[in-house]
């Protein structure tokens, strides 16, 4: 859904199979949804194409300048070791919302942070915590402790965020 809705990219079954076969993409099935994860090889391919790829021949002069500037920026980021991170990164809040919706039964459903954190692409814990707190302050996200402490696993304890002297294990997002 995100590829189509956000990026206007339609990935056919044959294209997906080819990308998986070439090792550029890994696809898993979660429920009825297909979840795609770019591989290290896929990131390397993207980096190479960004730095050295040719702009399409049928674009206008402004788009050609944009392609040239993007190529230079990609080389600059690559030389500083930041290109792979830039390719992988997106808006963390958006990623948290997406993962929340994939794991839950829609908005206002309580989802365990222990299920959300592992699916954030290795995002820094402090950055995730800051983003969660910012989302709470905005008023549309809620964090609560699990009242049944007996069911908490080691993963639940590790994933909890401490707010006001209390560990919060569950998250719900209101529809905005």
């Amino acid at each position: 859904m995100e590829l189509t809705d956000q990026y206007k990219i339609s990935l056919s079954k044959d294209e997906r199979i080819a990308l998986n076969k070439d090792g550029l993409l890994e696809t898993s099935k979660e429920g009825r949804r297909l979840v795609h994860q770019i591989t290290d090889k896929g990131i390397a391919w993207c980096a190479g194409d960004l730095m050295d790829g040719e702009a399409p021949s049928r674009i206008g002069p402004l788009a050609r300048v944009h392609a040239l500037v993007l190529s230079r920026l990609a080389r600059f980021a690559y030389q500083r070791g930041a290109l792979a991170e830039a390719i992988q990164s997106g808006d963390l809040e958006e990623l948290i919302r997406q993962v929340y919706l994939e794991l839950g039964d829609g908005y206002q459903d309580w989802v365990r942070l222990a299920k959300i954190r592992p699916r954030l692409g290795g995002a820094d814990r402090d950055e995730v915590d800051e983003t969660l707190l910012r989302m709470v302050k905005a008023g549309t996200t809620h964090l609560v402790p699990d009242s049944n402490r007996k069911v908490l696993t080691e993963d639940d304890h590790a994933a909890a965020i401490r707010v006001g002297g209390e560990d919060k294990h569950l998250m719900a997002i209101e529809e905005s």
Side-chain angles (χ1 to χ4, degrees), residues 56-110:
S57 60
R58 301 185 73 193
I59 60 173
L62 182 58
R64 199 171 310 287
V65 168
H66 286 169
L68 176 63
V69 170
L70 180 59
S71 174
R72 288 181 181 175
L73 287 171
R75 273 190 230 103
F76 180 84
Y78 179 78
Q79 291 168 350
R80 283 149 185 80
L83 185 58
E85 183 179 341
I87 290 170
Q88 286 179 306
S89 72
D91 180 69
L92 184 55
E93 181 174 338
E94 184 179 307
L95 179 59
I96 291 170
R97 288 178 183 279
Q98 174 192 339
V99 169
Y100 166 83
L101 289 172
E102 289 172 2
L103 293 172
D105 291 326
Y107 289 103
Q108 299 179 342
D109 187 25
W110 292 104

Side-chain angles (χ1 to χ4, degrees), residues 3-17:
L3 282 175
T4 305
D5 294 345
Q6 186 172 350
Y7 300 107
K8 310 298 185 233
I9 297 172
S10 178
L11 187 61
S12 73
K13 181 179 179 180
D14 290 340
E15 291 167 330
R16 174 178 45 84
I17 290 170

Side-chain angles (χ1 to χ4, degrees), residues 10-28 34 36:
S10 178
L11 187 61
S12 73
K13 181 179 179 180
D14 290 340
E15 291 167 330
R16 174 178 45 84
I17 290 170
L19 290 169
N20 279 273
K21 184 179 175 185
D22 290 343
L24 303 174
L25 191 69
E26 290 177 353
T27 303
S28 60
L34 292 176
H36 308 292

